[in-house]
Amino acid sequence: MFKWKKLLTAALCAGALFFSGCGGDDSGSSSGGDPNVLKVGVTNFADTLEPTQNYFGWVVMRYGLGECLTKFDEKMNIQPWLAESWQVSDDHLTWTFKIRDNVKFSNGTPLTAEAVKNSIERAFAKNTRAATFFEYASMTADGQNLIIQTNKPLPGMPGYLADPLFIIVDTTAEPARDFSKEGPICTGPYMVESFVKERAVMKRNENYWDGEVPYQTVEIPSIDDPNTRAMALQSGDVDVAVNIAAGDIDIFKANDKFHIDEIASLRVVLARLNQKPDHILSDPKVRAALIAGCDRETYNDVLLKKTFIPGKAPVPPSLDYGFDQLKDPNSYNPERAAQLLDEAGWKDSDGDGIRDKDGKNLELDFVVYNSRAELPLYAEAVQSDLKKLGFDIKINTVDYNLIDGMGIKGEYDLLISNITTANTGDPEIFLTWYWKSNADGSNPQNGSGYSNPAYDAKLNELSSEFDAAKRRQLIIELQQILLDDGASLFFGYPQTNIINAKYVDGVIMYPSDYYWITKLIKPAK
């Protein structure tokens, strides 16, 4: 086994032993928690609470502020939320959403179909990503009915409107209220008392429409280091912690004062590969060599202690889209990787251990962002493995907010990300955003330059297909195209968890990763 793997395994074990003897009373909080205050330790990537900025709507929803027309249950089935029902016309071009009666925003303003219309229009006006979900020909309010007409059939419409970008806000509260600093006016169980990136404080929404709100106050410290987050939970500084790292989770499994809700997630950790013309990775042999040179099974089994499933395909095995039947032509094979680099003309001409071609070294920048503990581990492992093949890999760690749809302000060699694959109910949006051609600028999420006409044609077929079995087959075929093209490097699929002291009840980790703080969380009886 490679030296770095032994060292990292030892470091993880040592860290677990150190933690078990430090960080306060490992029996958990003896106070039983304050029945009026809930404290939740999270990692937060949002600078503001403006739900249309970047992906900050995720935080607005996770913190119990915002709600959408629809939501997902524990099995990713679409359920009513602010819309009590919906229907589509026979020609699949007109959607009618019935907005619930007797719902109020946190400021007491009634929720109407007109208010919903204004909120969705605001999302389209403020974020071009909205149009990558759907485009509408018209949107009107008729009583409590919101009517959306489209130019083409959109089988995923109810799922699109569950995305946090479409959180329903009271647009009449602007401009008197700065949503980015003071938080938006929404319909969720909690509302903003104060917010900075490092710490948020929520308070009970006295106008909440869907039953009792258990806590008067919710304190949400952002604890980006996963070990520190685990220690805060262990010592009783927080009552709930989201996504405890692999090296620490066993401590809580061995302590009956804590409850762990751990599930197979919908996420994939992948590296987007820059395939723009004249880039090193535009050569399919170099991409194939890079992917085949990465020992993904060992990364996940050793570094991440089997809390990640080894990567192969775009869509994780937690979803029924043909994972086992897909063939990975670039599974781990360092001998084949070396041969491919030779065939592509990359050879070590000067004996310095780095391959070169036409006076240029085989040098790549690997960009990772700093809010997820596994990303630098993967990057360092890749750096070690690919060095043996003659790559010169440099790692650049950046703040999440420097990343946009194109990458790091538009350019990268390899960009590693942890991405939800089915945040609208199935993987269509995911497969579209990251790999549909962007030659005309219509798909800015694809910053890699990947383009395949056959892939685009199959995506277009998927976008108007309502039959579930046909959709599944198309998604399988789309994934195989990406694998055959070496479009991206798929590292692994994380388990996700939320852990709470047992004096708190109703804590659930949902596969969509949107719903952390909900009305269901309350003091245990």
Side-chain angles (χ1 to χ4, degrees):
M1 185 177 291
F2 297 138
K3 182 178 179 182
W4 65 264
K5 294 167 186 170
K6 293 181 179 178
L7 290 173
L8 280 169
T9 302
L12 284 171
C13 293
L17 288 170
F18 173 81
F19 177 67
S20 67
C22 303
D25 176 12
D26 67 4
S27 64
S29 172
S30 59
S31 66
D34 185 337
N36 295 311
V37 180
L38 176 68
K39 298 178 181 180
V40 183
V42 304
T43 177
N44 170 40
F45 62 89
D47 288 320
T48 82
L49 289 177
E50 169 52 61
T52 64
Q53 185 177 345
N54 204 318
Y55 286 83
F56 296 169
W58 286 53
V59 172
V60 175
M61 187 171 287
R62 286 169 168 177
Y63 288 7
L65 306 176
E67 299 174 327
C68 288
L69 294 187
T70 59
K71 67 185 301 185
F72 297 106
D73 63 17
E74 295 94 326
K75 295 184 178 180
M76 286 302 291
N77 298 309
I78 301 170
Q79 301 293 337
W81 208 359
L82 295 178
E84 65 181 32
S85 62
W86 55 87
Q87 59 185 19
V88 64
S89 60
D90 291 342
D91 63 3
H92 295 149
L93 297 178
T94 302
W95 290 87
T96 301
F97 292 85
K98 173 68 169 63
I99 308 304
R100 292 185 187 276
D101 294 319
N102 303 318
V103 176
K104 294 181 179 180
F105 290 102
S106 60
N107 60 0
T109 301
L111 179 72
T112 64
E114 184 68 25
V116 171
K117 171 180 173 291
N118 292 338
S119 180
I120 295 174
E121 288 176 339
R122 179 182 187 274
F124 273 87
K126 286 185 169 289
N127 193 323
T128 56
R129 187 163 55 92
T132 68
F133 285 95
F134 67 95
E135 295 182 355
Y136 58 91
S138 67
M139 184 159 45
T140 57
D142 180 12
Q144 283 296 87
N145 289 326
L146 177 73
I147 303 168
I148 302 176
Q149 292 188 323
T150 62
N151 291 320
K152 65 177 184 179
L154 295 172
M157 178 66 86
Y160 300 159
L161 291 172
D163 189 276
L165 179 59
F166 300 111
I167 283 171
I168 304 305
V169 303
D170 180 10
T171 62
T172 67
E174 295 180 302
R177 184 180 182 90
D178 184 342
F179 283 7
S180 65
K181 296 178 181 178
E182 300 173 90
I185 298 297
C186 303
T187 59
Y190 296 99
M191 51 193 295
V192 179
E193 181 172 292
S194 64
F195 173 83
V196 291
K197 185 176 182 180
E198 296 74 22
R199 183 180 181 83
V201 179
M202 305 295 138
K203 60 183 178 181
R204 178 184 293 146
N205 174 9
E206 301 294 349
N207 291 307
Y208 189 54
W209 62 277
D210 193 22
E212 178 186 0
V213 180
Y215 292 95
Q216 180 63 43
T217 303
V218 180
E219 298 176 3
I220 311 170
S222 182
I223 310 171
D224 288 341
D225 178 71
N227 301 112
T228 307
R229 196 159 62 247
M231 292 173 71
L233 178 60
Q234 188 186 27
S235 65
D237 290 336
V238 298
D239 311 311
V240 180
V242 180
N243 284 326
I244 295 298
D248 297 327
I249 196 168
D250 285 346
I251 296 165
F252 296 98
K253 289 180 178 177
N255 192 326
D256 63 6
K257 293 185 180 297
F258 296 95
H259 172 263
I260 301 171
D261 195 22
E262 185 177 26
I263 61 172
S265 76
L266 306 180
R267 289 184 168 273
V268 58
V269 179
L270 59 84
R272 287 177 264 178
L273 310 181
N274 191 331
Q275 298 156 59
K276 295 175 183 176
D278 300 323
H279 193 277
I280 290 173
L281 294 175
S282 65
D283 185 336
K285 287 189 176 181
V286 178
R287 293 199 307 276
L290 185 151
I291 296 169
C294 295
D295 187 358
R296 289 168 280 175
E297 184 171 349
T298 299
Y299 302 166
N300 292 283
D301 287 354
V302 177
L303 264 74
L304 295 161
K305 301 180 70 174
K306 298 188 177 182
T307 60
F308 281 58
I309 299 168
K312 178 177 76 173
V315 180
S318 56
L319 294 165
D320 183 21
Y321 289 105
F323 185 85
D324 290 337
Q325 72 189 71
L326 290 165
K327 306 298 182 185
D328 182 4
N330 299 315
S331 57
Y332 181 54
N333 187 334
E335 292 78 15
R336 175 174 173 268
Q339 180 182 340
L340 286 168
L341 291 173
D342 288 341
E343 293 173 2
W346 291 94
K347 300 184 179 180
D348 183 6
S349 64
D350 56 8
D352 65 353
I354 300 173
R355 291 178 183 256
D356 56 87
K357 178 180 178 182
D358 300 329
K360 182 178 181 180
N361 283 343
L362 187 56
E363 180 179 298
L364 297 170
D365 285 334
F366 202 154
V367 178
V368 302
Y369 54 84
N370 55 7
S371 62
R372 288 188 176 270
E374 75 276 6
L375 303 189
L377 290 180
Y378 278 127
E380 290 164 10
V382 169
Q383 183 184 51
S384 178
D385 274 352
L386 294 186
K387 182 179 180 180
K388 297 176 175 66
L389 292 170
F391 283 87
D392 183 12
I393 302 289
K394 293 179 171 60
I395 300 173
N396 294 309
T397 303
V398 302
D399 186 88
Y400 176 85
N401 292 309
L402 292 177
I403 297 176
D404 58 22
M406 298 293 289
I408 304 302
K409 300 306 179 188
E411 289 299 331
Y412 57 84
D413 294 337
L414 300 91
L415 172 61
I416 185 170
S417 303
N418 184 316
I419 299 173
T420 297
T421 61
N423 56 330
T424 60
D426 77 8
E428 179 188 344
I429 288 289
F430 165 68
L431 295 171
T432 299
W433 278 357
Y434 297 107
W435 295 286
K436 187 174 184 181
S437 297
N438 187 40
D440 59 359
S442 62
N443 185 33
Q445 289 290 122
N446 177 6
S448 70
Y450 175 78
S451 181
N452 182 326
Y455 184 84
D456 293 344
K458 206 168 287 293
L459 269 177
N460 289 336
E461 188 178 349
L462 177 67
S463 69
S464 59
E465 180 58 68
F466 279 72
D467 183 87
K470 292 180 180 178
R471 288 184 65 82
R472 179 180 181 276
Q473 183 58 37
L474 286 167
I475 289 168
I476 292 172
E477 293 170 6
L478 285 162
Q479 292 183 85
Q480 192 62 60
I481 292 174
L482 295 177
L483 290 174
D484 293 342
D485 286 347
S488 295
L489 168 58
F490 302 103
F491 285 109
Y493 317 100
Q495 299 271 35
T496 186
N497 65 74
I498 190 167
I499 304 178
N500 61 279
K502 285 189 176 178
Y503 54 76
V504 176
D505 203 1
V507 179
I508 300 171
M509 177 55 76
Y510 292 84
S512 62
D513 207 19
Y514 294 158
Y515 320 117
W516 290 356
I517 298 169
T518 72
K519 67 161 191 170
L520 299 177
I521 301 178
K522 58 187 177 181
K525 294 182 179 179

